[in-house]
Amino acid sequence: MQQHQYDVIIVGAGGAGMRAALESSKRTRTAVLTKLYPTRSHTGAAQGGMCAALANVEEDNWEWHTFDTVKGGDFLVDQDAAEVMCREAVDAVLDLEKMGLPFNRTAEGKIDQRFFGGHTRNHGEAVVRRSCFAADRTGHMILQTLYQQCIKQNVEFFNEYYVLDLLMTDGKASGVVAYELATGELHVFSAKSVIFASGGFGKVFRTTSNAHTLTGDGMGIVWRKGLPLEDMEFFQFHPTGLAGLGVLLSEAARGEGGILRNKDNERFMERYAPTVKDLAPRDMVARAMANEVREGRGCGPDGAYVMLDLTHLEPAHIDAKLPDITEFARTYLGVEPYTEQIPVFPTAHYAMGGIPTNIKGEALANNEDVIPGLYAAGEVACVSVHGANRLGTNSLLDINVFGRRAGIAAAEYAATASFEELPANPEAYVVELVEGLRNSTGQERIAAIRADLQATMDLNAQVYRTEGSLKQALVDIAALKERFKNVAVQDKGKRFNTDLLEAVELGFLLDLAEVLVVSALERKESRGGHFREDYDKRDDVNFMRHTMAYREVDADGNETIRLDYKPVVQTRYKPMERKY
Amino acid sequence: MDVKVKILRYNPEVVDEAEWKTYSVTLQPTDRVLDALHKVKWEQDGTLTFRRSCAHGVCGSDAMRINGRNRLACKTLIKDLNPEKEITVEPIKGLPVLKDLVVDMEPFFDAYRSVMPFLVTSGHEPTRERIQSQADRDRFDDTTKCILCAACTTSCPVFWSDGQYFGPQAIVGAHRFIFDSRDEGTEQRLEILNDKEGVWRCRTTFNCTDACPRGIEVTKAIQEVKRALIFRRV
Ligand SMILES: Cc1cc2nc3c(=O)[nH]c(=O)nc-3n(C[C@H](O)[C@H](O)[C@H](O)COP(=O)(O)OP(=O)(O)OC[C@H]3O[C@@H](n4cnc5c(N)ncnc54)[C@H](O)[C@@H]3O)c2cc1C
Ligand code: SF4
Ligand code: FES
C-alpha cells in the first residue's frame, strides 16, 4: 500500500473534474484520480452544444435562460442555483473559447449559436438560438480543450486509478482510497478537500447513451458512507437513441430541422406540443414517442420505434452541422440519413439527481449542513439546476460552471484547513471489498446479474412508471442483491483485473438502482422525467420538494433506505403549467 | 451465427509468451467486434482484458489489430469482416503489451504532450471571444477530430522500428494548432517537429490515414506540416 498527500483530490477527469483541476491546481497542490485516461471520459461523447445567452445571433439574456431552465425542470429547480449558472454561462463559454475551443462561427466570426429544445425567448414566446457548438462534437472539443489546458498547466493525473472509498474524520472529508488498475495495489490519499466529479450511472438501464464505465461509483461511495443522495428518481430519457442500441443522436438533429414521424408518416409532435413541436423538452418528447409505440403507431416489424426524418435537409447542411451522428446511423444501422429516415427510441441519458451540493459545490450532509472538505460537481452532483428534467446543453454548462466553482472552493478551503488524521486502517473497507470479491467461490456471472438488473429497470422504471412496476423492480433488485453475494470473479490476478472492477461497479449499480426505485415509488406524482401513470399530474401541494435518500444500517447489519425531503428554492418564478 | 474469434492472449503474471486462443461466440451480423470480446469475457473467460468505454467510436479506448488492421473494436461490425473466416484480434503494435489487448499508452501520450498541444497566445485577453472566420476555423477542422486512439501511430512502420519517432498522432496534434489562426506558438512547435525524430522521419506510407477511425487525413496533415517547415509559414 502506498500513501500520498495532496491539498485537493479530484475524483474524475471528465469536463467537471478537469475544469475544477484548472482552478484548484493554480492555487494549491492538486491531484486528479481517474479510472479512465482523461480523454476517454464520457464528456467527449456530448454532441449538441453548450448554451449561454451570448446573444450573438439574436436577442437573448440570462434571465430568459434561467426561466427556461426552471420551467424545463418542471419547477423542481433551485432557482438561486439556476440564476448563478445562467449568469455565469456567458463567461464559461468565453473562457473555453480563450482556451482554444474551436466553436463554429457566424459570418462575422463570432461564436455561432443554434436552436435547442426548451430554450426560448421572452419566457416561452418562441424558440431562441442559444446553443454554442462545434459541429456535433461539442463535448469532444470541451474534453480535448480542457485536457490540453491541463497539460499546459502541468496538472498531476493518476490515470486508471479507481477510487473506491471516501475517508472521513470527525465528519470532515480527509482523503480517499484508490485501486491502481495496472498493479492491483491500493493507494491511500490524504487530502484537505475531496471533489467528486465522477459522472453518472446510466448503466443501471440497458438502453442507454452512457458509456460502459458510467456506473455511478462516486454516488455509490458517498451513499455507503450514509450521506444523502438527492432526487435520484429523476432520470432523463433522451428521445433519440438509435433504436435497439441506445447510441445517441443529438437533439441538434431536431434543432437543425429534423422531424419525428410515426408509421403513418405523421409529424406526431404537433399533437403533443403545438408551439415548439419536435423541440419540446425531452421528457415530453420521449413520452410522446413511447406513447405512439404503445398505441400501435410505431415503425418497423415490431412497431417498436419511431423515425427521425432528416431527408428534407440539404446533405451539405447535414455534413456541416451533424457529421458524427449521421455517421453513427450509417455505421451501426446501415441507414443513409440523406435519403432514409432513422429508427429511434428513447434512451436512458442523464441523472438529474446525485450528491446534494450548494452553489459553491460543497456537499451536504442533510438539508442544511455542509460536509467540510467534501465537494461534488457535474453529473454526479445535484445542485439542483436541472430539477425534474434537464434542458439540452445545460449539462456541458453545469460541468463548466460548477466544476470551476468547486475547484475554487476546494482550494480556498484547503488554504486554511489542516490535514485531518486518517482513521485507523484507512484501507480496511476497500481491502475487504476487493479481496472478498477476488476470493469469492460463487458461481453467479457478473454479466448475467447486470443484464437482469438492466432488464427490470428498462421494463419497470423507464419513461412510464406505476406503483406496480416499481414494486416489481424492487423485488427484482432485492433478488439480484442476493445473487450478487455469490458473484464469481474469474480473474484472480493483480494486473489489469477488469473482471474484478466490473464486479465492484455492479455493486454500485445495484445500490443506486434501489435508491432510484425507492425514491420513485414514494413520489406519487408526475413531474419532468418521472412519470407515474397512476398519478399522472404534477402535485405541487405534496411534492414540490426534493427527495433526500439516506442509507441506514441497524444493529443487526440490516440496510434500509430512509427518505426525507428538502424544500425547493424559489425566487422569481412561481410554478405554472408546463405547456409548450 | 457462430463466429470464431482468435485472440492473442498474454498475461505476464501467468505465462512468459503470448499465445493465440480461439473462442466460438454467437453473434448478429450487426454486432461489433467489441460485442464479441464482451461475449467472451462475460460468458466464457472473465480474464480476457481490454479497454473500452463509450462503445461507439468517440473515446478512443479500444484500438486493436483486427484481421491485421488497426481499428476500433466498437466501430467494426462483424458483417464487414467476412465472418465465415476466423476473426483475429491482437494488441496494437509498437507499444509494450501489458496484458492481453492492453498496451502501455504512456509513450504515446508523452509524444502528444511534447508538441505543445494547447493554444498559445500573447498580449491581453480580449473581453469577448477572439474573432475567427468560419473559413479559418475550417482550416484545421480535420485534425480537431482526433480521439487519441493511437491507431495511426501504431500502424506506422517507422514508429515500429524507431522507438524515438513521435509518430503520426503527435503531428496531427501539432497540426491542429499550427493551422489555427488564433495561435501564436507555431515557431516553437515547428522547432520541436523539425527535430531529427520529428516530421522528417515520415516516409508517407499512408498506413496512418487508412487506420484512422475518425477519417482524418493524417498523411495530408503531415505533408502540410512539412511544407510549413520548409516555407516557415502557414
Ligand atoms: C451521448 C451523450 C451526449 C450528450 N450531449 C450533451 C450535449 O450536447 N450538451 C450537454 O449539455 N450535455 C450533453 N450530455 C450530457 C453531458 O455530456 C454529461 O452529463 C457530462 O459530460 C458529464 O460530465 P462529468 O464531468 O460530470 O462526467 P464524465 O465526463 O462522465 O466523467 C466522469 C469521470 O469520472 C471518472 N470516474 C468515474 N468513476 C471513478 C472512480 N471510481 N474512480 C476514479 N475516477 C472515476 C472517469 O474516469 C471520468 O474521468 C450528453 C451525454 C451523452 C451520454
Ligand atoms: S489521428 Fe486518427 S488514428 Fe490517430 S490517434 Fe487521432 S483519431 Fe486515432
Ligand atoms: S469504446 Fe470508445 S472508441 Fe471504442
Side-chain angles (χ1 to χ4, degrees), chain A residues 277-298:
Chain A
K277 303 184 183 78
D278 299 273
L279 285 176
R282 291 175 176 175
D283 60 300
M284 289 189 173
V285 183
R287 272 197 305 279
M289 291 167 66
N291 195 48
E292 289 299 297
V293 165
R294 278 208 311 198
E295 295 187 349
R297 291 187 295 278

Side-chain angles (χ1 to χ4, degrees), chain B residues 34 52-62 72 74:
Chain B
L34 181 63
R52 52 83 178 118
S53 184
C54 73
H56 65 284
V58 296
C59 78
S61 294
D62 60 343
L72 297 177
C74 66

Side-chain angles (χ1 to χ4, degrees), chain A residues 258-275:
Chain A
I259 292 171
L260 291 166
R261 300 188 185 280
N262 61 20
K263 78 166 195 245
D264 307 321
N265 215 34
E266 182 203 4
R267 182 178 194 179
F268 58 84
M269 281 312 298
E270 282 177 339
R271 269 189 279 122
Y272 297 88
T275 315

Side-chain angles (χ1 to χ4, degrees), chain A residues 36-37 39-42 44-45 47 54-56 90-91 94-112 134-135 137 140-141 144-145 147-149 151-152 159-160 181-182 209-214 245 247-248 324 327-328 330-334 445-448 450 490-499 502 505, chain B residues 10-13 30 32 34-35 38 40-62 74-77 79-80 97-99 102-106 108-109 112-114 116-121 125-134 137 140-141 144-150 176-177 180 182 213-214:
Chain A
L36 302 171
Y37 270 86
T39 58
R40 312 296 185 222
S41 304
H42 212 54
Q47 303 166 352
L54 295 182
N56 275 2
V90 175
D91 278 334
L94 295 177
D95 282 350
L96 286 169
E97 197 283 331
K98 286 168 198 165
M99 292 178 195
L101 197 140
F103 284 107
N104 277 43
R105 299 290 173 154
T106 64
E108 308 89 72
K110 295 197 253 175
I111 295 171
D112 199 4
R137 42 183 98 95
H140 166 76
M141 298 300 189
Q144 296 292 329
T145 302
Y147 182 57
Q148 290 157 357
Q149 291 297 308
I151 293 175
K152 185 174 177 190
N159 295 329
E160 303 195 313
L181 183 64
S209 64
N210 283 200
H212 285 288
T213 45
L214 285 176
L245 286 170
V247 173
L248 193 79
D324 278 9
E327 192 190 316
F328 296 151
R330 290 185 195 108
T331 306
Y332 296 111
L333 294 184
R445 287 208 177 263
I446 300 165
R450 188 175 46 215
Q490 292 180 326
D491 194 335
K492 305 291 181 198
K494 291 268 181 199
R495 215 177 157 88
F496 286 94
N497 191 340
T498 52
D499 197 28
E502 277 193 35
E505 291 172 332
Chain B
Y10 172 60
N11 180 1
E13 275 183 304
T30 51
R32 307 157 248 203
L34 181 63
D35 297 315
H38 273 148
V40 173
K41 183 176 182 68
W42 292 345
E43 294 167 13
Q44 301 181 31
D45 185 350
T47 67
L48 178 66
T49 304
F50 48 92
R51 293 190 177 102
R52 52 83 178 118
S53 184
C54 73
H56 65 284
V58 296
C59 78
S61 294
D62 60 343
C74 66
K75 226 184 157 180
T76 309
L77 302 197
K79 69 179 166 62
D80 299 329
V97 179
L98 300 176
K99 182 177 172 187
V102 174
V103 300
D104 181 2
M105 294 295 286
E106 282 307 316
F108 171 81
F109 277 102
Y112 175 63
R113 287 188 283 256
S114 70
M116 303 170 58
F118 41 78
L119 192 74
V120 177
T121 56
E125 288 243 304
T127 46
R128 293 286 297 193
E129 69 263 52
R130 292 192 175 78
I131 299 298
Q132 180 173 54
S133 72
Q134 185 61 34
R137 159 71 179 76
F140 62 101
D141 185 60
T144 64
K145 296 188 303 198
C146 176
I147 53 173
L148 293 158
C149 71
R176 179 249 170 275
F177 289 99
D180 186 333
R182 300 169 296 175
R214 301 287 286 155

Side-chain angles (χ1 to χ4, degrees), chain A residues 348-482:
Chain A
H349 186 56
Y350 184 84
M352 268 76 73
I355 302 172
T357 73
N358 61 21
I359 54 176
K360 286 162 80 182
E362 295 169 312
L364 301 177
N366 51 45
N367 287 4
E368 278 104 38
D369 304 313
V370 302
I371 303 155
L374 189 64
Y375 302 80
E379 195 168 334
V380 71
C382 179
V383 187
S384 146
V385 284
H386 308 304
N389 171 57
R390 170 176 74 83
L391 284 193
T393 68
N394 262 354
S395 173
L396 291 179
L397 178 59
D398 170 7
I399 61 179
N400 277 285
V401 168
F402 291 102
R404 174 175 170 276
R405 282 180 157 252
I408 294 172
E412 283 178 352
Y413 174 78
T416 56
S418 46
F419 286 101
E420 296 291 325
E421 198 177 321
L422 293 182
N425 299 323
E427 73 286 10
Y429 171 75
V430 178
V431 171
E432 197 186 303
L433 173 74
V434 167
E435 294 313 319
L437 286 167
R438 201 200 310 268
N439 299 328
S440 108
T441 51
Q443 294 297 322
E444 288 281 357
R445 287 208 177 263
I446 300 165
I449 298 176
R450 188 175 46 215
D452 289 350
L453 172 69
Q454 293 169 342
T456 185
M457 293 299 283
D458 269 22
L459 188 65
N460 296 312
Q462 225 226 19
V463 293
Y464 287 109
R465 300 168 172 175
T466 64
E467 174 154 338
S469 74
L470 292 166
K471 283 194 165 152
Q472 183 58 49
L474 264 192
V475 170
D476 292 346
I477 293 167
L480 290 166
K481 284 192 147 183
E482 278 306 308

